Amino acid sequence: MKLAVYIGKDSEEHNGRVSELFMNLRESGVQLYELAYGEAPSPDTDMLVSVGGDGTFLSAAMLVAEKGIPVVGVNLGRLGFLSENRS
């Protein structure tokens, strides 16, 4: 499985729980790569993981909207209406 990772803020990349999640995914054979702001995902991407708040989730969804790639959000904010998964 190939997952793209879209991280809203550079500081969030160093969140311990998120790093642990990515490490566990890699250990189970998942290929991860990070998308920069506005970068299109690789055509063979199976899913996009959005790490941040609702704004990050919306930006990530716009990147894959026409490609049919599902998005899962990991909320690092306080409330998070769109991302139910919390780190």
Side-chain angles (χ1 to χ4, degrees):
M1 176 175 269
K2 187 172 185 177
L3 299 181
V5 178
Y6 185 78
I7 299 174
K9 296 179 184 172
D10 292 337
S11 63
E12 293 171 347
E13 184 175 12
H14 303 291
N15 181 300
R17 287 184 241 166
V18 173
S19 297
E20 184 178 347
L21 168 65
F22 293 161
M23 182 182 68
N24 290 335
L25 287 169
R26 284 187 179 104
E27 287 175 356
S28 66
V30 173
Q31 181 183 358
L32 295 174
Y33 71 97
E34 188 172 342
L35 285 179
Y37 179 79
E39 182 182 0
S42 170
D44 59 344
T45 300
D46 295 305
M47 184 181 299
L48 182 119
V49 178
S50 168
V51 179
D54 286 344
T56 302
F57 186 90
L58 290 171
S59 294
M62 299 255 321
L63 293 174
V64 296
E66 296 179 4
K67 297 175 179 20
I69 297 172
V71 180
V72 63
V74 177
N75 182 20
L76 296 181
R78 290 179 305 242
L79 189 54
F81 288 103
L82 301 174
S83 300
E84 293 185 17
N85 302 299
R86 296 180 89 42
S87 72

